[in-house]
Amino acid sequence: MTRAVLESFGGAESGRFREVAQSLVKHLHAFVSEVKLTEEEWFEGINFLTRTGHITDDKRQEFILLSDVLGVSMLVVGLNHRHVEGATDSGEGVEVVRGDGSLPTGSTEATVFGPFFVEGAPAFENGDDISGGAPGEPCFVSGRVLNAGGEPIPGARVDVWQADEEGFYDVQYDDLEGARGRGRLRTDEEGRYSFWSVKPEPYPIPYDGPVGDLLRAAGRSPMRPAHVHFMVQAPGYATLITHVFAEGDEHLDTDAVFGVKETLIAPFVRHDAGAAPDGRETKGPFYTMEYDLVLAPAGE
């Protein structure tokens, strides 16, 4: 049976399609044979994938979530972003710049895209508040976008999105109009970016659907550590998709989507009321997080 199916893809016009399809068939058939899959289990698998499709819409991508919790998303990210000067596959040896003036030896590590990115986020100027009234403690985020030589990249597009203190992204609210905790900025002539938002908090991935059923069956936690998403684009450089995680978060070692990397952890520092780094006077406590994002040349 396996040989017959493999041969049926042998005449594919695209060599890459043929390679992928035949490898998929080979491994899928090996899996079915290894576990001696029953007809009932096969049907339950079909039902699971059907439910995954039914719950997916323009605000929720359950298939991406499934890929995330199976570790496939991070495996693809690792395979496609492993040839970066100064970095190993595990990220060791990468000196990430966090506003202390040190120079990078490699580009910032990539991690999962996640299911809550939205095209067409509102544009902001550096220093603006992108929270949109989201609940949470004020947090000032800043840093630079650099090349691997430590030189600033002016005019880079920086997309940012995050959950609020309730653990929800703006698109998860049915009655919310407009963006919250989401925006797009451009770096200045010195490659700097900055914005006000709210301190991110840990949250569970959506577990009211088939992916949640999978996690419960496995006895796994749905929690993600607190983080801020970044997507950075500039002409001549590879697009960077990454997170910055909150140092000390209790879920760093058990991230439901396996997205945490050592170099992507940064302190969120609490301050008493007073002058913020941008000169703003705050009436209550606030947090700051500073992190430099380093882009690899296009094609690397």
Side-chain angles (χ1 to χ4, degrees), residues 56-76:
T56 298
D57 57 23
D58 60 340
K59 293 185 177 180
R60 175 170 177 165
Q61 235 301 350
E62 194 80 356
F63 278 108
I64 289 181
L65 206 59
L66 176 59
S67 175
D68 290 348
V69 303
L70 292 177
V72 176
S73 299
M74 279 304 298
L75 181 57
V76 172

Side-chain angles (χ1 to χ4, degrees), residues 24 85 113 116 129 138 167-168 175 189 198 202 224 268 296 298:
L24 172 63
E85 182 182 355
F113 197 36
F116 294 116
D129 187 343
F168 293 112
D175 57 349
E189 290 302 312
V198 296
R224 297 218 65 203
F268 284 73

Side-chain angles (χ1 to χ4, degrees), residues 16 72-83 89 261:
R16 177 58 175 168
V72 176
S73 299
M74 279 304 298
L75 181 57
V76 172
V77 167
L79 289 171
N80 286 276
H81 296 272
R82 60 183 175 178
H83 301 297
D89 285 352
K261 296 184 178 182

Side-chain angles (χ1 to χ4, degrees), residues 2 23 70 158 182 246 279 283 287 293:
T2 302
S23 182
L70 292 177
V158 182
R182 182 186 304 276
K283 297 180 180 179
Y287 286 80
L293 300 153

Side-chain angles (χ1 to χ4, degrees), residues 165-208:
E165 72 171 3
E166 302 297 330
F168 293 112
Y169 290 81
D170 50 5
V171 295
Q172 292 179 280
Y173 289 95
D174 293 331
D175 57 349
L176 184 64
E177 295 184 6
R180 286 202 320 200
R182 182 186 304 276
R184 185 178 75 249
L185 306 106
R186 293 278 181 179
T187 56
D188 65 17
E189 290 302 312
E190 297 179 343
R192 296 190 176 276
Y193 71 90
S194 63
F195 60 91
W196 282 91
S197 188
V198 296
K199 179 178 176 289
E201 296 292 340
Y203 65 87
I205 62 172
Y207 59 97
D208 58 338

